[in-house]
Amino acid sequence: MKIRIGIIGGAGYGGGEAIRLLLNHPQAELVFVHSRSHAGSPLHAAHPDLLGETSLLFTDVIQQQVDVLFLCLGHGESKKFLEENKINPSIRIIDLSQDFRLGESVPGREFVYGLPEMNRDRIKQASNIANPGCFATAIELGLLPLAKAGLLQEVYTTGITGSTGAGQKLQDTTHFTWRANNISAYKTLTHQHLKEINRSLKQLQPAFNSAINFVPWRGDFTRGIFVSSCVTVDKPLDEVKKLYADYYHGHPFTLVSQDTVDLKQIVNTNKCVIGLEKEGDKLVVHSAIDNLLKGASGQAVQNMNLMFGLPEASGLKLKSIVF
Amino acid sequence: MKIRIGIIGGAGYGGGEAIRLLLNHPQAELVFVHSRSHAGSPLHAAHPDLLGETSLLFTDVIQQQVDVLFLCLGHGESKKFLEENKINPSIRIIDLSQDFRLGESVPGREFVYGLPEMNRDRIKQASNIANPGCFATAIELGLLPLAKAGLLQEVYTTGITGSTGAGQKLQDTTHFTWRANNISAYKTLTHQHLKEINRSLKQLQPAFNSAINFVPWRGDFTRGIFVSSCVTVDKPLDEVKKLYADYYHGHPFTLVSQDTVDLKQIVNTNKCVIGLEKEGDKLVVHSAIDNLLKGASGQAVQNMNLMFGLPEASGLKLKSIVF
Amino acid sequence: MKIRIGIIGGAGYGGGEAIRLLLNHPQAELVFVHSRSHAGSPLHAAHPDLLGETSLLFTDVIQQQVDVLFLCLGHGESKKFLEENKINPSIRIIDLSQDFRLGESVPGREFVYGLPEMNRDRIKQASNIANPGCFATAIELGLLPLAKAGLLQEVYTTGITGSTGAGQKLQDTTHFTWRANNISAYKTLTHQHLKEINRSLKQLQPAFNSAINFVPWRGDFTRGIFVSSCVTVDKPLDEVKKLYADYYHGHPFTLVSQDTVDLKQIVNTNKCVIGLEKEGDKLVVHSAIDNLLKGASGQAVQNMNLMFGLPEASGLKLKSIVF
Amino acid sequence: MKIRIGIIGGAGYGGGEAIRLLLNHPQAELVFVHSRSHAGSPLHAAHPDLLGETSLLFTDVIQQQVDVLFLCLGHGESKKFLEENKINPSIRIIDLSQDFRLGESVPGREFVYGLPEMNRDRIKQASNIANPGCFATAIELGLLPLAKAGLLQEVYTTGITGSTGAGQKLQDTTHFTWRANNISAYKTLTHQHLKEINRSLKQLQPAFNSAINFVPWRGDFTRGIFVSSCVTVDKPLDEVKKLYADYYHGHPFTLVSQDTVDLKQIVNTNKCVIGLEKEGDKLVVHSAIDNLLKGASGQAVQNMNLMFGLPEASGLKLKSIVF
């Protein structure tokens, strides 16, 4: 029997990526895709690559005969959606916005932060998931083993993101002419994901009270996040590597590489790849994810798999783009 | 029961892409990957994105307990390989080089040109497949319905290809510094695929005796081929569209779009998407494929599926990169 | 004494590029830059690369104490501007729009088509210039010598353009996420530059009455146009090359290469580079320009130089980007 | 009277860029360009964009009738060149390698570190210049005002560089197929420029004894360096901005922006643009240069201008690529 799924906000990047994954997922049945702006159009009107993949049309009707809803809405919109629409309490929710990542709730629905590498057991029991942010996922996966070991100190992080992180809306900073071959910083030291990052790190190392000094950059590519975090650690690299290997043992998507890592190893997959280097007492952790997959819709499907007792990687064995 | 597969020449682009597909193919078992240069190394030594996907090592031993061999060798190397190595006659061959596309053979092995949209029934009966070239696939799929209808006249084609078409070897024209943001023409009117293109078109329209004037361009991207072919056709666009729709009916990967087409609709998939436009008596056919998939390893797997009686699209439901 | 210049429409791409050239031009004085949307702001507010280059502010006042006005307005806007504003008749006009390229005029002002390689003597005498279109420049420079020799027949042309050709306005097809690594066709066989191209070719070969079958593509780069035109020519390549060499002798910016040509040879310069190849009776002419320079503002400055008796290349010795 | 110049190692990126600048420099005469590999060929054989710019040929003869030699050789090669070739002592040397940046010398030749924003007066008196490294230039220009004020503490820096930084030689990491859309780290915390950076910072703040923790990234573009440095500073942003404004007052190429900065503001120019942001006690300094210009050949010409008493910006008013 298949899990019956509805998507709310199916015309954007996150919704489109969820559709792509769920159409090919062996235990999933995509029942409806909701979009006010595109109701009545075929899915390939918004997502031309879906031509020939499905005959589904976007709808503006929210059906209640589903097992789970993916909310692929803008920040602030998910909370509003749940407040304004009566959703059958038995329907589970996976929310891709930031509305419930810091412990927020709506009546009748408490949310678990959906980072399987930290909360897998709780996710398996959860009815509602707050899916982590893209930069948050990359940075947290790079630091969790240190926090677990109580070793985390002040962190200096630079991260670069593809343009899909900025969404579908046309903006000056997503104009091709401006962004091609360009690099720029934004939200220096003030990125909104810092809150959920701090919350996660404190979950594992409650005494952690230092800063994550995070400088985000806009990259001149479409998909992916690459992060380098520098932190003082008073242990030899071998021991650090063992910490990471132990921590991620049994987690199918987060891999600690013994070689150099690069972004395209993981683009178009649900993986996070981690590289570790050390000079003196400074550890540098590189971590890379696809912001739309492990950083959004892929992780959402991973959470769905866990919630419904499916193999964690079901529907997520994706061919990387690699080149 | 699974099809047992060996890959010869597994360290290059074509071999790597075949590995990626076959590792996830539900009816395939990748038995061995042969590479003289990488024997003994894990597959992810040559293909870093395969980290965590498989524990297979490259080998320099050719095992005979397989059902089919994929030859992912350079042009000229496949013929040599079959002449120098005794391959069990019951093992089928899918050759990705150009060595057998024009009717060439080796003792005991005749080859069928593996373009399913033209030769599906013969492929189902074949023991040996000559997998088409990448530009050839894109151009032929754009013109076959006209040839079938006997309407083909002199053709003017421009096509642009990603850098993976030039292979893994470092060359001046694949140096990032040179190729980024650059466009150039090469092999103007003399591309080696013209022979197999002409051969295919004559198979459907034996009287066709005009030129395919083909100007190939190097593109500043890694994956994909986009082709526009201009030809005089004395029929209204509606009728031409019907010809194409009829021709490709029942072919799962070749789609005639009613909208504008663009390359990224199909990158990282096995699809070919075709767009048709007409002004006066001039028809322009746009066709787009991923050169490594429908133009190489994806089509090879499609051929394998047909040869072994599997669903044609098995293992080829791929998530597009789209962005 | 310096030529005093005003720019109308200085906040767009064409205006910005004109500013960049004129600020460094040894015989030019940029007197004012008009922009309704940016009046009062420093030029670097619209063009951040001009930080430190000038203290000029955008103005909404049209000063009449200038020798020449560059109209860098949208198509249709130039005619309107000249009709609605009383411009001192002694002020010369260089118009970058398409409003006057086909012989249109406003009372008191006749326009010369500003392609120096065709009309240099007339430009030297002109008071008003209609600056050619970008694709038109690339295609015409590739074909003029054939037309001059009366050899031109039906032409099949494919051209690819950078995103700056689509202007500053945000559009779906200039969204970075869509355009990166993408190729698409547009205005197939119907591009608006075909009119001025035909007009120019007939100026040199009045009996020319065949089609220019032109398929424009959007490229995944920002600057430059690369065109390949295929035409039947019944002369050996040597003779054709001599025709081109003779035609462009003494023209400083249009170069016939003996080697292969590529786009980045000329990006960020005012050059056009031409390559010639022949197989059988088919000639292929490759031509490349920077759409914002030789295809717009650079050619405008070249025309200004000619109109005012300056060396043709004054202010146009530009360092190419090359990489 | 013009400065007579010879270039040693003219076929590489640094040499090519020096040629481009010097051909257009109003007070420079490029007398000869030395290259063993290309002797006898025209300059455009190695640098196709120079077609039509000059009729100079590469030579393998070192002429002594020049005022200055630009050494554009690989690291280690400059010292060897000066030891093996007898250069007239009156000829000045500008060396672009790292051979003399840390106080090294050859008999009869002491070198001044050629960062005009730090050493302008000494450069004006110098006979031999060690031209700074590209990353070194970007990082130092971002930090010098703090060091001058004695405020510098431990620094955390991430920098990204275009592929031209890796030179002309074909390498796995400059293969287009690998590098396009990719990001990776290299020489983490161990980049060779750290030595000259530390040396410069100590020149201004002798007591500085903390680490510059520098993580270099390879970017998927060809030209430019963008750096963000994070450092604890116990002063309000206004005062920091004043420090920077005062420090760079009168330096024509280093600009402190009041707005956000991005890489393409300065690509294809000799500028460095600096942006300053502060949260709590953490200052982030962004700095951007073109690695081949302010990071190499442009700075070399700037140094030449200073050595020969020319205006500092002579020949360096370059049109930016901007798009």
Side-chain angles (χ1 to χ4, degrees):
Chain A
M1 227 187 69
K2 294 197 169 187
I3 302 165
R4 293 169 53 84
I5 301 156
I7 292 177
I8 309 295
Y13 289 166
E17 203 72 353
I19 295 168
R20 280 173 206 105
L21 294 173
L22 294 169
L23 284 176
N24 287 337
H25 190 298
Q27 289 104 1
E29 181 190 348
L30 187 53
V31 175
F32 74 94
V33 180
H34 188 269
S35 165
R36 264 185 298 239
S37 57
H38 285 73
S41 305
L43 297 193
H44 68 78
H47 309 296
D49 64 300
L50 294 180
L51 182 68
E53 299 291 308
T54 173
S55 54
L56 265 185
L57 306 182
F58 287 108
T59 177
D60 55 5
V61 179
I62 301 165
Q63 302 181 36
Q64 303 275 350
Q65 271 66 47
V66 295
D67 300 306
V68 58
L69 284 183
F70 282 64
L71 306 189
C72 302
L73 298 166
H75 299 309
E77 298 292 313
S78 289
K79 189 148 181 293
K80 210 169 132 195
F81 174 85
L82 290 176
E83 287 166 350
E84 295 182 355
N85 293 279
K86 199 169 170 167
I87 304 299
N88 190 323
S90 70
I91 296 175
R92 303 193 204 186
I93 301 286
I94 298 174
D95 177 39
L96 280 80
S97 84
Q98 65 184 27
D99 291 3
F100 302 104
R101 292 179 194 155
L102 304 178
E104 302 91 334
S105 61
V106 287
R109 296 197 179 267
E110 303 290 323
F111 287 77
V112 171
Y113 188 69
L115 189 64
E117 286 81 355
M118 185 170 75
N119 285 340
R120 183 156 55 184
D121 290 341
R122 293 175 59 208
I123 293 165
K124 287 180 180 173
Q125 311 298 326
S127 296
N128 304 287
I129 292 291
N131 212 56
C134 51
F135 263 131
T137 297
I139 294 171
E140 292 176 26
L141 291 176
L143 300 175
L144 288 179
L146 295 179
K148 175 84 181 305
L151 293 173
L152 203 60
Q153 305 186 26
E154 184 167 25
V155 181
Y156 292 83
T157 295
T158 303
I160 190 165
T161 180
S163 61
T164 49
Q168 202 166 19
K169 202 166 144 256
L170 293 166
Q171 303 174 56
D172 288 346
T173 54
T174 54
H175 196 306
F176 182 84
T177 299
W178 184 84
R179 188 146 183 161
N181 305 303
N182 209 358
I183 299 288
S184 55
Y186 70 109
K187 299 182 183 172
T188 299
L189 304 180
T190 62
H191 195 281
Q192 68 273 13
H193 289 177
L194 284 168
K195 287 180 191 158
E196 63 185 279
I197 295 168
N198 272 295
R199 198 169 191 261
S200 295
L201 295 174
K202 281 180 191 167
Q203 180 179 324
L204 296 194
Q205 182 178 332
F208 178 68
N209 208 13
S210 304
I212 308 290
N213 301 290
F214 172 38
V215 181
W217 287 355
R218 295 181 194 95
D220 58 329
F221 49 90
T222 58
R223 272 181 181 265
I225 281 178
F226 188 92
V227 163
S228 293
S229 297
C230 188
V231 56
T232 304
V233 173
D234 211 11
K235 281 196 180 300
L237 183 56
D238 275 3
E239 287 185 33
V240 174
K241 284 190 170 179
K242 193 171 173 331
L243 279 181
Y244 277 73
D246 290 351
Y247 189 97
Y248 289 116
H249 181 75
H251 288 285
F253 292 113
T254 300
L255 303 157
V256 184
S257 173
Q258 299 305 311
D259 301 304
T260 56
V261 300
D262 65 82
L263 185 63
K264 286 204 297 188
Q265 278 186 274
I266 52 75
V267 171
N268 215 29
T269 78
N270 197 49
K271 291 184 191 175
C272 175
V273 65
I274 290 174
L276 298 163
E277 300 188 87
K278 198 149 187 279
E279 288 295 319
D281 63 349
K282 291 291 192 283
L283 175 73
V284 175
V285 186
H286 311 291
S287 55
I289 62 165
D290 186 311
N291 57 305
L292 291 175
L293 290 166
K294 187 61 177 166
S297 305
Q299 188 146 264
V301 171
Q302 185 181 358
N303 282 318
M304 179 192 80
N305 289 341
L306 292 170
M307 291 166 91
F308 288 89
L310 303 176
E312 190 167 350
S314 192
L316 292 170
K317 301 293 284 180
L318 304 170
K319 199 188 84 55
S320 88
I321 185 83
V322 69
F323 303 126
Chain B
M1 226 187 70
K2 294 197 169 187
I3 302 165
R4 293 169 53 85
I5 301 156
I7 291 177
I8 308 296
Y13 288 166
E17 203 72 354
I19 295 168
R20 281 174 204 105
L21 294 173
L22 294 169
L23 283 176
N24 287 337
H25 191 297
Q27 289 105 359
E29 181 189 349
L30 187 53
V31 175
F32 75 94
V33 180
H34 188 270
S35 164
R36 263 183 301 240
S37 58
H38 285 72
S41 304
L43 297 194
H44 68 78
H47 309 296
D49 64 300
L50 294 180
L51 181 69
E53 300 292 306
T54 173
S55 55
L56 266 185
L57 306 182
F58 288 108
T59 178
D60 55 4
V61 178
I62 301 165
Q63 301 181 35
Q64 304 274 350
Q65 271 67 48
V66 294
D67 300 306
V68 58
L69 284 183
F70 282 62
L71 306 189
C72 303
L73 299 166
H75 300 308
E77 297 292 313
S78 289
K79 188 148 184 289
K80 210 168 133 195
F81 173 86
L82 290 176
E83 287 167 350
E84 294 182 354
N85 293 279
K86 199 169 169 167
I87 304 299
N88 190 322
S90 70
I91 297 175
R92 304 194 203 185
I93 301 287
I94 298 174
D95 177 40
L96 279 79
S97 84
Q98 65 185 30
D99 291 2
F100 301 104
R101 293 180 194 156
L102 304 177
E104 304 91 334
S105 62
V106 286
R109 296 198 179 265
E110 303 290 323
F111 286 77
V112 170
Y113 187 71
L115 188 65
E117 287 80 356
M118 186 170 75
N119 286 339
R120 184 157 54 185
D121 290 340
R122 293 173 59 206
I123 294 166
K124 287 181 180 175
Q125 311 300 326
S127 296
N128 304 286
I129 293 291
N131 212 55
C134 51
F135 262 131
T137 297
I139 294 172
E140 292 175 26
L141 291 176
L143 300 176
L144 288 178
L146 295 179
K148 177 83 180 305
L151 292 173
L152 203 61
Q153 306 186 25
E154 185 167 24
V155 181
Y156 292 83
T157 296
T158 304
I160 191 165
T161 179
S163 62
T164 50
Q168 200 166 24
K169 203 167 145 257
L170 294 166
Q171 303 173 57
D172 288 346
T173 53
T174 54
H175 196 305
F176 182 84
T177 299
W178 184 84
R179 188 147 184 162
N181 306 302
N182 210 357
I183 300 289
S184 55
Y186 71 108
K187 299 182 182 170
T188 300
L189 305 180
T190 62
H191 194 281
Q192 68 274 12
H193 289 176
L194 285 168
K195 286 180 193 159
E196 64 186 277
I197 295 168
N198 273 294
R199 199 169 190 262
S200 295
L201 295 174
K202 281 180 191 168
Q203 180 179 322
L204 295 194
Q205 181 177 334
F208 178 68
N209 208 13
S210 304
I212 309 289
N213 300 290
F214 172 39
V215 181
W217 287 355
R218 294 181 194 95
D220 58 330
F221 49 89
T222 58
R223 270 181 182 265
I225 281 178
F226 189 92
V227 163
S228 294
S229 296
C230 187
V231 57
T232 304
V233 172
D234 211 10
K235 281 196 181 299
L237 182 57
D238 276 2
E239 287 185 34
V240 174
K241 284 190 170 178
K242 190 167 175 335
L243 279 181
Y244 277 72
D246 290 351
Y247 189 97
Y248 290 117
H249 182 75
H251 287 284
F253 292 113
T254 300
L255 303 157
V256 183
S257 173
Q258 299 305 314
D259 301 304
T260 56
V261 300
D262 65 82
L263 185 63
K264 286 204 295 186
Q265 277 186 276
I266 52 75
V267 170
N268 215 30
T269 79
N270 197 49
K271 292 184 190 173
C272 175
V273 65
I274 290 175
L276 297 164
E277 299 188 88
K278 196 147 187 279
E279 288 294 320
D281 63 350
K282 291 291 191 283
L283 175 73
V284 175
V285 186
H286 312 291
S287 55
I289 63 167
D290 186 311
N291 57 305
L292 291 174
L293 290 166
K294 186 61 176 168
S297 304
Q299 188 146 266
V301 171
Q302 186 181 355
N303 282 316
M304 178 192 81
N305 289 342
L306 292 170
M307 292 165 90
F308 288 89
L310 303 176
E312 190 167 352
S314 192
L316 293 170
K317 302 291 286 179
L318 303 170
K319 199 187 85 54
S320 88
I321 185 83
V322 70
F323 303 125
Chain C
M1 228 187 66
K2 294 198 168 186
I3 302 166
R4 293 169 54 85
I5 300 156
I7 292 177
I8 309 296
Y13 288 167
E17 204 72 355
I19 295 168
R20 281 173 204 105
L21 294 173
L22 294 169
L23 283 177
N24 287 337
H25 191 298
Q27 289 103 0
E29 181 190 349
L30 188 53
V31 175
F32 74 94
V33 180
H34 188 268
S35 164
R36 263 183 299 242
S37 58
H38 284 72
S41 304
L43 298 193
H44 69 78
H47 309 295
D49 64 300
L50 294 180
L51 181 68
E53 299 292 308
T54 174
S55 54
L56 266 185
L57 307 182
F58 287 108
T59 177
D60 54 5
V61 178
I62 300 165
Q63 302 180 35
Q64 303 275 351
Q65 271 66 47
V66 295
D67 300 307
V68 58
L69 284 183
F70 283 63
L71 306 190
C72 303
L73 299 167
H75 300 309
E77 298 291 315
S78 289
K79 188 147 183 292
K80 211 169 133 195
F81 174 85
L82 290 176
E83 287 166 349
E84 294 181 355
N85 293 279
K86 199 171 169 165
I87 304 298
N88 190 322
S90 69
I91 297 175
R92 304 193 204 187
I93 301 288
I94 298 174
D95 178 39
L96 280 79
S97 83
Q98 64 185 27
D99 291 2
F100 301 104
R101 293 179 193 155
L102 304 177
E104 303 91 333
S105 61
V106 287
R109 297 198 179 267
E110 303 290 323
F111 287 77
V112 171
Y113 187 71
L115 189 65
E117 287 80 357
M118 187 171 74
N119 285 340
R120 185 157 53 184
D121 290 341
R122 293 175 58 209
I123 294 165
K124 287 180 179 173
Q125 311 300 327
S127 295
N128 304 286
I129 293 291
N131 212 55
C134 52
F135 262 131
T137 297
I139 294 172
E140 292 176 27
L141 291 177
L143 299 177
L144 288 179
L146 294 179
K148 176 84 180 304
L151 292 173
L152 203 60
Q153 306 186 26
E154 184 167 27
V155 181
Y156 292 83
T157 296
T158 304
I160 191 166
T161 180
S163 61
T164 50
Q168 201 166 21
K169 200 164 147 259
L170 293 165
Q171 303 175 56
D172 287 347
T173 54
T174 54
H175 196 306
F176 182 84
T177 299
W178 184 84
R179 187 145 183 162
N181 306 303
N182 209 358
I183 299 288
S184 55
Y186 71 108
K187 300 183 183 171
T188 299
L189 305 180
T190 61
H191 195 281
Q192 68 272 15
H193 289 177
L194 285 168
K195 287 180 193 158
E196 63 185 278
I197 295 169
N198 272 295
R199 198 168 190 263
S200 295
L201 296 173
K202 280 180 191 165
Q203 179 180 325
L204 295 194
Q205 180 176 334
F208 178 68
N209 208 14
S210 304
I212 309 289
N213 301 290
F214 172 38
V215 181
W217 287 356
R218 296 180 194 96
D220 59 330
F221 49 89
T222 57
R223 272 181 182 265
I225 281 178
F226 189 92
V227 163
S228 294
S229 296
C230 188
V231 56
T232 303
V233 173
D234 211 11
K235 283 195 180 297
L237 183 57
D238 276 2
E239 288 185 31
V240 174
K241 284 189 171 179
K242 194 171 172 329
L243 280 181
Y244 277 73
D246 290 350
Y247 188 98
Y248 289 116
H249 182 74
H251 287 285
F253 292 113
T254 300
L255 303 157
V256 183
S257 173
Q258 300 305 313
D259 300 305
T260 56
V261 299
D262 65 83
L263 185 64
K264 286 205 296 187
Q265 277 185 273
I266 51 76
V267 171
N268 214 30
T269 78
N270 197 49
K271 292 184 190 174
C272 175
V273 64
I274 290 175
L276 297 164
E277 299 188 88
K278 197 147 188 279
E279 288 295 320
D281 63 351
K282 290 291 191 283
L283 175 73
V284 175
V285 186
H286 311 291
S287 54
I289 62 166
D290 187 311
N291 57 305
L292 290 174
L293 290 167
K294 186 60 176 166
S297 304
Q299 188 146 266
V301 172
Q302 186 180 356
N303 282 317
M304 179 192 80
N305 289 341
L306 292 170
M307 292 165 90
F308 288 89
L310 303 176
E312 189 167 351
S314 192
L316 293 171
K317 302 293 286 180
L318 303 170
K319 199 188 85 54
S320 88
I321 186 81
V322 67
F323 302 125
Chain D
M1 228 185 69
K2 295 198 166 186
I3 301 165
R4 293 170 53 83
I5 301 156
I7 292 177
I8 309 296
Y13 289 165
E17 203 72 353
I19 295 168
R20 281 174 204 105
L21 294 173
L22 294 169
L23 284 176
N24 287 337
H25 191 297
Q27 289 104 359
E29 181 189 350
L30 187 53
V31 175
F32 74 93
V33 180
H34 187 269
S35 165
R36 263 185 300 241
S37 58
H38 285 73
S41 304
L43 297 193
H44 69 78
H47 309 297
D49 64 300
L50 294 180
L51 181 68
E53 300 290 309
T54 173
S55 54
L56 267 185
L57 306 183
F58 288 108
T59 177
D60 56 4
V61 178
I62 301 166
Q63 303 180 34
Q64 304 274 351
Q65 270 67 46
V66 294
D67 299 307
V68 58
L69 284 183
F70 282 63
L71 306 189
C72 303
L73 299 166
H75 299 309
E77 297 292 314
S78 289
K79 189 150 183 292
K80 212 169 133 195
F81 173 86
L82 290 175
E83 288 166 350
E84 295 182 355
N85 293 278
K86 200 172 169 166
I87 304 299
N88 190 324
S90 70
I91 296 175
R92 304 193 203 187
I93 301 287
I94 298 174
D95 177 38
L96 279 80
S97 84
Q98 65 184 29
D99 291 3
F100 301 104
R101 293 180 194 156
L102 305 177
E104 303 92 331
S105 61
V106 287
R109 297 198 178 266
E110 303 291 323
F111 286 78
V112 171
Y113 187 70
L115 189 64
E117 287 81 355
M118 186 170 76
N119 285 341
R120 184 156 54 184
D121 290 340
R122 293 174 60 208
I123 294 165
K124 287 181 179 174
Q125 311 300 326
S127 295
N128 305 286
I129 293 291
N131 211 55
C134 51
F135 263 131
T137 297
I139 294 172
E140 293 176 25
L141 291 176
L143 300 176
L144 288 179
L146 295 179
K148 176 84 179 306
L151 293 173
L152 203 60
Q153 305 187 26
E154 184 168 25
V155 181
Y156 291 82
T157 295
T158 303
I160 190 165
T161 181
S163 61
T164 50
Q168 201 166 22
K169 203 166 144 255
L170 293 166
Q171 303 174 55
D172 288 346
T173 54
T174 53
H175 196 305
F176 182 83
T177 299
W178 185 84
R179 189 148 183 160
N181 306 302
N182 209 358
I183 300 289
S184 56
Y186 70 108
K187 299 182 182 171
T188 300
L189 304 180
T190 62
H191 194 280
Q192 68 272 14
H193 289 177
L194 285 167
K195 287 180 192 158
E196 64 185 279
I197 295 169
N198 273 294
R199 200 170 188 261
S200 295
L201 296 173
K202 281 180 190 166
Q203 180 179 324
L204 295 194
Q205 181 177 335
F208 178 68
N209 207 14
S210 304
I212 309 288
N213 301 290
F214 172 39
V215 181
W217 286 356
R218 294 181 194 96
D220 58 330
F221 49 89
T222 58
R223 271 181 182 264
I225 281 178
F226 189 92
V227 163
S228 293
S229 296
C230 187
V231 57
T232 304
V233 173
D234 211 9
K235 281 196 181 297
L237 183 56
D238 276 3
E239 288 185 32
V240 175
K241 284 190 170 178
K242 191 168 175 335
L243 279 181
Y244 277 72
D246 290 350
Y247 189 97
Y248 290 116
H249 181 74
H251 288 284
F253 292 113
T254 300
L255 303 157
V256 183
S257 172
Q258 299 306 312
D259 301 306
T260 55
V261 300
D262 65 83
L263 185 64
K264 286 205 295 188
Q265 277 185 275
I266 51 76
V267 170
N268 215 30
T269 78
N270 197 49
K271 293 183 189 174
C272 175
V273 64
I274 290 175
L276 298 164
E277 300 188 87
K278 197 148 187 278
E279 287 295 319
D281 63 349
K282 290 293 191 281
L283 175 73
V284 175
V285 186
H286 311 291
S287 54
I289 62 166
D290 186 311
N291 58 306
L292 291 174
L293 290 167
K294 186 61 177 167
S297 304
Q299 188 147 263
V301 171
Q302 186 181 356
N303 282 317
M304 180 192 81
N305 289 341
L306 292 170
M307 292 165 91
F308 288 89
L310 303 176
E312 190 167 351
S314 193
L316 292 170
K317 301 293 287 180
L318 303 171
K319 199 188 84 54
S320 88
I321 184 82
V322 68
F323 303 125

